[in-house]
Every structure is written in C-alpha cells, then in structure tokens.
Amino acid sequence: MAFRIGLLSLLGFHLSSSTLAHPQQSVTTRSACENTPQSRSCWATSFDIDTNYYEEWPDTGRIVEYSLNIAETVLSPDGVPRPMITANGVFPGPTLEADWGDTLVVHVTNSLPNNGTAIHFHGVRQLNNNQNDGVPSVTQCPIAPGKTMTYTWKATQYGSSWYHSHWGLQAWDGVAGGIVIHGPATSNYDEDLGILVITDWSHETAVQLYPGVLEIAFSIQDNGLINGTNTWQDKGQRWEVVFQPGKKYLMRIVNVSVDHHFKFSIDGHTLTVIAADFVPIKPFTTTILNVGIAQRYDVIVNADALPGNYWLRAFPALLCDVNKNPSNIKGIIRYDMGSSMNPTTLPWPSLDINCDDETQLRAMEPCVALSPGLADEEGNIDVETFLEDQKYWKWQMNSTSFRGDWGNPTILQVHEGILNFTQENDVIKLERPNEWAYFVIETDFIFAHPIHLHGHDFYLLAQGTGKFDASTPLNITNPLRRDTAMLPLSGYMVMAFKADNPGAWLMHCHIGWHVESGLALQFLELPNAINATLDADQLTSTCIQWNDWQKDYNLIQDINDSGV
Ligand SMILES: *[C@@H]1O[C@H](CO)[C@@H](O)[C@H](O)[C@H]1NC(C)=O
Ligand SMILES: *[C@@H]1O[C@H](CO)[C@@H](O)[C@H](O)[C@H]1NC(C)=O
Ligand SMILES: *[C@@H]1O[C@H](CO)[C@@H](O)[C@H](O)[C@H]1NC(C)=O
Ligand SMILES: *[C@@H]1O[C@H](CO)[C@@H](O)[C@H](O)[C@H]1NC(C)=O
Ligand SMILES: *[C@@H]1O[C@H](CO)[C@@H](O)[C@H](O)[C@H]1NC(C)=O
Ligand SMILES: *[C@@H]1O[C@H](CO)[C@@H](O)[C@H](O)[C@H]1NC(C)=O
Ligand SMILES: *[C@@H]1O[C@H](CO)[C@@H](O)[C@H](O)[C@H]1NC(C)=O
Ligand SMILES: *[C@@H]1O[C@H](CO)[C@@H](O)[C@H](O)[C@H]1NC(C)=O
Ligand SMILES: [Cu+2]
C-alpha cells in the first residue's frame, strides 16, 4: 500500500534515515509562503513560478515512500471483465504525490508469473540519475518475478505526470498511474481535483491485439475510459464530479492511450491551460484541447455555468484512431449532488479530426522564458515503416528498428567499459559537455507520432507538414519546451536540447504498438561521465536475478519485441 513517510515525519515520527535531517526547516519554510487559492504563484521562502527549475529547486529534506506491487488481475472498468496487469490491483494505479524538492522512494515488486517489469517515471528529468529511469535493455535489467527494485529520485520539477511500465505492452494492459508534484502555478484555483487519466480501451488485452496490429498497422479500440471508468451498453458507470458554483478547479489531464489522440472538452465551460507536460505556461483559454498520447495538460475549469449537468468529453481524433464507440468517452460534471440525470446533449463542439497539435501550440509560452544556444551538433532522424517478410509492419528511426537485450542493458555495458556503440546499436552519441544538439525528425508516411524524449525537456523549434528545408524558420525565442510532441503525418519536428545529463536516454514514439515494434533510439549522453553516476551493486544484482530467471524459465525475447 502507498504511504507517506513525509507526513509521518511532519507529525514528529523519527525515521532512521539521514536524509530526513531537516523536517523542522521544511515546516518553517512552508509557513513563510502561503500557497493559497489567492497566491498560487509563490512557493516556500525563496521559490516561485519564475524559478528556473533546471538550475534550482527546494531541498525539503523529506522522503516520500511508495510501494507498487505489479500483478495480474481482472477488472471491469466499463462493466466488462478483462484480464489486466496493474499496480496494487487498481487502474489507474495509486497516484504518487509529493512536494517540489522531496525525494521519492518507490519500491516496485514483480508479482507476475511470467513477465519482467520496470517502472518509468515519465517526464522526470533524473539529473545524474539515469539508472532510476526504468527502461529495460537501456538503464536496467527487468525486475525478475518475485523480486523488488527500489527507485529513488528527486522532484526537481513540479506539476503532473504519470508512471508506467516500460516492459513489453504492460503499460497498456494497466501498469500506469499518475504523478502529482505540488508546486506553484501560473493561475489561481480553489481546488485540485488531481490526475484525470484518459485512455482508449479494448476488451482484448494489448498482448492479444498486438499480432493483429503487426498485420494491419493499427488497432480497433472498443471504448475509452475517463479516470479508469466508463459505460458499455447497459453496464459500467461514468466518472462524475460535483462542482460548487463559483469555484475554480484544477484538473491534471494525462493521456495514456495506446494509440488514441483525444479532443478534450467540457460542454458549457472554457478551459484555462496552465501547464504542458512539466512546463508551466502563460495561461491561455480554449474550448477544445488536443491531447496527444503521453502528453499532459493542467487546466483550470471555472464553475461558472448555469446550474445543471454537463458532459466532459474525450473525443478520439478519427483521422488517426479507430474506435467503435467514439461518442461514448464521456464523464459528467454536476452542479447538484442530488441529480442522477444524464446531461442534456448539446450539439458537439465543432471538432476537427486531425491528430496534430501544432495550431494550439502557438498559444503556449513557457512562463520561465529560456532560449536554446546555437547548434553545436545537427542531425536528421527519419521515421519510417517497413514490411518485414512482406507481411509485418515494423518501425525504424534513422534506419534501424530498435532491438535491445533485456539482460544486457546499455549502462551495464558502459559500466564494463564498452563505449564503442554505433548507429547499428540504435545509439547516437553526444560527447561534449553542454553542447547543444538540434535534431530534425521527419516522416514521409501518413501517420502522426507522439515523440517522447527521456532525461530532458526539449525545445520545440519547428513542427509542420511537408518537407523540412533550410528555409523553414526555427523558433529560438522562448519556444515551447516539453518532453513529448507530435511529429505530424508526412511532416517534421525540430527539437533542441543541451547535453548536460549523463546517461543512456531513450527517445521513442509513445504509441504502444510502435515502440514495441522498433520506433526508438537512444542518446548516449556524456558517455565518459555515466559510470560515476551508477550504483553498480544495484545494477548488477538486478541483472543477475533477471538473467537467472530468464534462463530457468526459458523466456525467449520475441523478434517483434524491441526490448523497451
Ligand atoms: C506477459 O504476461 C501476459 C499476461 O499473462 C502474457 O500474455 C504474455 O505472453 C507475457 N509476455 C511474455 C513476453 O511472456
Ligand atoms: C483519478 O484517479 C486517481 C487514482 O485513483 C485519483 O488519485 C484521482 O484523484 C482521480 N482523479 C479525479 C479527477 O477523479
Ligand atoms: C513476429 O513477426 C514475425 C515476422 O517478422 C512473425 O513470423 C511472428 O509470428 C511475429 N510474432 C508475433 C508474436 O506476432
Ligand atoms: C491521447 O493520445 C492519443 C494519441 O496521441 C490521441 O489520439 C488521443 O486523442 C489522446 N487523448 C486525449 C484525451 O487527448
Ligand atoms: C543516422 O544514421 C547514419 C548512418 O546510417 C549516421 O551517419 C547519422 O549520423 C545518423 N543520424 C544522426 C542524427 O546521428
Ligand atoms: C565504473 O566504476 C566502478 C566503480 O563504481 C569501477 O569499479 C569500474 O571499473 C568503472 N568502470 C569503468 C569502465 O571505468
Ligand atoms: C565493441 O568492442 C567489443 C570488444 O571490446 C566488440 O566485441 C564489439 O564488436 C565492438 N562493437 C562495435 C559496434 O564495434
Ligand atoms: C515561438 O514560440 C513561442 C512559445 O510557443 C510563441 O509564443 C511565439 O509566438 C513563437 N514565435 C514564433 C516566431 O513562432
Ligand atoms: Cu508512432
């Protein structure tokens, strides 16, 4: 069960860890700044919404501890029973919650009979902490059945995100939950409703669907879930919340779909968007928000409509998604707790069916204004699909389809002195400290991909359809920074980041099918500095446990499993 040592220590319990040295101090700093509904921009004594969180963050001295038990279970989120793999038996998994500057300690136990597992904390920078990034074949061996691995990381950023398994298709069979790091905000609100997980949903498991996806390149989903619940025919129930008129509610929307983009809206209400991924932005309002896979938006909803019942909708972007029940993915906002009526159906907001996020991105301006340095290194990365055996759809980035070895992760090799990786190993090296790397990611295939980079918020310098060429303007004046952005169909995106975080960082498409079939590569960043960041005992013992188990169990890594 999840529990918080932080709370215990505030209540005066003394734990034997030396990192809990200053609980007193954190109490006094907290009272110096009242982060209240009227003053959400401040935080502790010397931090606020303008703090450059890549360079400084509070040190609360507190540890927040959670245990996640990964096991097979059967749940009926929309009334139809389905085998799932979950954290602590629930979907979404328990929300990991902490304050900016806390240290999270997450014990993950693999209680599965025949799968490995590993947990990735999506969007967390993991500065000098690559080993806690949770990617099998890259930053660790999978956790073997019956074994536990402890992840430790510091919340240097704040906002909303999610954690998920990075092993096989587990994330899309249910191993996913929210992360909330409390911190300042660019606009005031009264109440924090927490993470709202939106996902596409099928009555077959992702593992069952995958062979079909290899043959037709996409899946047909039955339904969708709003924070783990929905209806199906006459079964199941809808997610609901009751608003008090005049209050402002914060909702932290996270899209964890396997392959659906959603248009998010609430009938009769506008949305004030205040953060994109872990990056606070200048508030802007919209009625429909495009949420790509793995992207997050913090939105404030003002309960200013006439009392009544209203639909909250997540409508799939039908140009790239196939869903049998697109207009059923809804929850209910009520103003009267006693009401059990369905909302009156207003006309659908005018929806486009596109899967891109470019138009809306122009309105998003980071609050902490930063600009990238000039390019020290430039490269092109093509995203392509190919037919293996003239029959199976596979994906590649820069002409290789990712294939990692569960039992021999990149950083174990680095630890053993192997640094001669090449593009054949799906590796791009960034060797000079603080160099700025610019990459043009392109595709000429009619498919949009949410591209996610580990270990960084990247600067999104350009994004569009058609061919990128030397005349395409780059936005280098406080462009949007984030960790996931859409590569438009038959288009390009240009990203930039600074090589300041030693490690092997995965970059991949977040469509479950695509990453499983090779749409990934890894940046080997500051290779000579990686070994010094590693906890060799943990790295090697997890690998010994895994390799022993894999040999005993005789589990062969399928040719269609990228290993990440
Ligand atoms: C992982 O577990 C699922 C559910 O039991 C199973 O269907 C799948 O085959 C397992 N994956 C591997 C690679 O063994
Ligand atoms: C969604 O579910 C998570 C996990 O149970 C919970 O922490 C959160 O409060 C829920 N969010 C909303 C908006 O209901
Ligand atoms: C993986 O792809 C190969 C062809 O590349 C195919 O023969 C095999 O059946 C596929 N395996 C699964 C589990 O779909
Ligand atoms: C989730 O992401 C997928 C894929 O990018 C997208 O199709 C879907 O619309 C997104 N969901 C929401 C609520 O935006
Ligand atoms: C892509 O691969 C080629 C070799 O095929 C390599 O020369 C090039 O540097 C790679 N791209 C990047 C951005 O590293
Ligand atoms: C990595 O560091 C460890 C000490 O933690 C050392 O024993 C090992 O030799 C180093 N490996 C390399 C390749 O330098
Ligand atoms: C890297 O070096 C090892 C020996 O140290 C060798 O076995 C391996 O083939 C080399 N890999 C590449 C890609 O050159
Ligand atoms: C650059 O990006 C910022 C933030 O997204 C935006 O406000 C600005 O208008 C963009 N500038 C150009 C020239 O596109
Ligand atoms: Cu993709």
Side-chain angles (χ1 to χ4, degrees):
M1 285 297 106
F3 60 98
R4 297 189 60 171
I5 286 193
L7 281 179
L8 297 180
S9 73
L10 282 177
L11 293 171
F13 289 84
H14 283 276
L15 292 149
S16 59
S17 168
S18 59
T19 28
L20 291 176
H22 315 292
Q24 231 45 47
Q25 192 188 343
S26 95
V27 174
T28 42
T29 50
R30 189 58 39 84
S31 59
C33 156
E34 298 280 337
N35 182 266
T36 65
Q38 287 75 41
S39 58
R40 293 291 182 197
S41 67
C42 78
W43 195 258
T45 31
S46 48
F47 300 92
D48 61 26
I49 193 72
D50 295 317
T51 304
N52 179 344
Y53 42 85
Y54 301 111
E55 288 175 359
E56 51 173 335
W57 45 81
D59 186 4
T60 62
R62 292 197 311 162
I63 292 184
V64 181
E65 197 163 0
Y66 285 93
S67 296
L68 301 177
N69 183 37
I70 312 303
E72 293 183 354
T73 173
V74 174
L75 294 178
S76 312
D78 63 354
V80 182
R82 208 203 90 166
M84 293 182 69
I85 300 177
T86 56
N88 297 2
V90 290
F91 180 77
T95 301
L96 309 182
E97 212 176 330
D99 283 347
W100 188 20
D102 288 350
T103 296
L104 282 96
V105 173
V106 185
H107 309 284
V108 178
T109 299
N110 181 354
S111 298
L112 298 165
N114 60 1
N115 277 202
T117 197
I119 298 292
H120 170 60
F121 305 92
H122 188 104
V124 172
R125 187 178 174 201
Q126 304 288 15
L127 184 61
N128 297 313
N129 197 27
N130 185 238
Q131 192 172 345
N132 286 279
D133 198 42
V135 187
S137 317
V138 177
T139 67
Q140 65 168 96
C141 286
I143 305 167
K147 303 296 181 198
T148 298
M149 175 174 157
T150 298
Y151 296 87
T152 305
W153 50 274
K154 184 154 180 101
T156 61
Q157 302 138 285
Y158 54 88
S160 314
S161 194
W162 60 308
Y163 60 88
H164 61 83
S165 170
H166 227 296
W167 198 80
L169 292 163
Q170 269 171 16
W172 299 281
D173 276 330
V175 186
I179 299 177
V180 172
I181 308 296
H182 297 286
T186 58
S187 186
N188 290 333
Y189 56 86
D190 296 299
E191 238 177 83
D192 184 351
L193 293 177
I195 294 280
L196 190 75
V197 169
I198 296 173
T199 179
D200 46 16
W201 191 243
S202 161
H203 296 134
E204 284 183 284
T205 66
V207 169
Q208 287 167 328
L209 290 171
Y210 187 51
V213 172
L214 285 169
E215 292 188 10
I216 62 171
F218 61 91
S219 68
I220 299 170
Q221 299 282 318
D222 295 314
N223 202 352
L225 304 176
I226 306 283
N227 224 32
T229 185
N230 201 358
T231 58
W232 175 259
Q233 292 157 1
D234 54 352
K235 302 186 203 71
Q237 64 187 48
R238 291 197 190 279
W239 177 87
E240 297 189 9
V241 71
V242 177
F243 276 5
Q244 264 180 4
K247 274 203 170 179
K248 288 182 175 157
Y249 295 92
L250 178 68
M251 291 176 145
R252 303 164 178 272
I253 302 163
V254 183
N255 180 358
V256 313
S257 293
V258 66
D259 72 358
H260 276 31
H261 287 64
F262 287 98
K263 316 271 172 185
F264 180 88
S265 64
I266 302 178
D267 289 0
H269 294 77
T270 53
L271 310 169
T272 302
V273 186
I274 62 164
D277 297 350
F278 268 138
V279 177
I281 56 175
K282 303 217 166 125
F284 77 96
T285 55
T286 182
T287 48
I288 300 171
L289 186 62
N290 291 306
V291 191
I293 291 173
Q295 293 183 336
R296 292 94 66 199
Y297 288 105
D298 288 358
V299 306
I300 294 172
V301 187
N302 195 352
D304 59 359
L306 291 173
N309 300 310
Y310 296 90
W311 292 121
L312 171 153
R313 307 170 187 263
F315 193 80
L318 294 175
L319 200 60
C320 51
D321 307 319
V322 186
N323 193 297
K324 292 185 192 157
N325 221 351
S327 52
N328 186 49
I329 311 172
K330 290 185 295 214
I332 302 175
I333 307 275
R334 301 193 186 283
Y335 280 69
D336 174 3
M337 202 160 36
S339 169
S340 57
M341 306 230 308
N342 271 344
T344 334
T345 301
L346 299 178
W348 280 90
S350 71
L351 289 174
D352 70 77
I353 54 170
N354 269 298
C355 321
D356 304 342
D357 54 8
E358 45 173 328
T359 20
Q360 161 176 289
L361 285 182
R362 294 203 180 94
M364 295 187 195
E365 203 181 332
C367 175
V368 174
L370 297 171
S371 296
L374 295 176
D376 298 304
E377 172 128 10
E378 291 170 288
N380 277 62
I381 298 173
D382 288 334
V383 169
E384 281 153 19
T385 186
F386 63 99
L387 270 182
E388 201 160 70
D389 298 344
Q390 292 164 354
K391 192 166 169 204
Y392 301 100
W393 290 87
K394 293 288 197 68
W395 292 89
Q396 59 189 25
M397 260 187 155
N398 201 31
S399 61
T400 49
S401 187
F402 194 95
R403 172 74 177 173
D405 178 351
W406 287 329
N408 192 19
T410 311
I411 61 172
L412 181 65
Q413 298 181 48
V414 170
H415 174 70
E416 288 163 353
I418 299 173
L419 291 174
N420 61 346
F421 299 95
T422 67
Q423 181 259 341
E424 310 273 292
N425 313 100
D426 315 298
V427 168
I428 294 178
K429 282 190 187 173
L430 297 170
E431 297 184 281
R432 286 167 295 164
N434 297 322
E435 67 173 323
W436 279 93
Y438 282 39
F439 293 106
V440 180
I441 304 176
E442 286 193 274
T443 184
D444 51 21
F445 193 67
I446 45 160
F447 221 113
H449 304 271
I451 303 292
H452 171 50
L453 175 64
H454 292 212
H456 295 270
D457 287 334
F458 56 81
Y459 292 74
L460 185 59
L461 305 185
Q463 191 183 35
T465 45
K467 271 250 160 267
F468 176 87
D469 64 40
S471 68
T472 310
L474 296 184
N475 184 351
I476 51 166
T477 314
N478 191 26
L480 185 58
R481 305 182 295 272
R482 63 186 318 168
D483 57 59
T484 308
M486 290 307 298
L487 169 62
L489 53 86
S490 309
Y492 60 85
M493 62 179 258
V494 182
M495 62 156 64
F497 61 94
K498 184 161 82 167
D500 59 4
N501 194 5
W505 303 109
L506 197 69
M507 177 167 80
H508 62 99
C509 170
H510 224 294
I511 293 179
W513 318 126
H514 295 179
V515 61
E516 185 72 348
S517 52
L519 217 176
L521 58 72
Q522 52 189 324
F523 291 106
L524 195 67
E525 186 169 336
L526 311 182
N528 294 312
I530 296 174
N531 194 38
T533 70
L534 302 178
D535 171 348
D537 289 345
Q538 190 201 42
L539 184 62
T540 50
S541 67
T542 310
C543 282
I544 291 167
Q545 290 167 352
W546 171 260
N547 286 314
D548 286 352
W549 179 84
Q550 194 181 342
K551 193 156 147 265
D552 286 353
Y553 192 81
N554 196 23
L555 178 65
I556 312 264
Q557 191 175 337
D558 190 280
I559 184 72
N560 307 313
D561 188 324
S562 64
V564 291

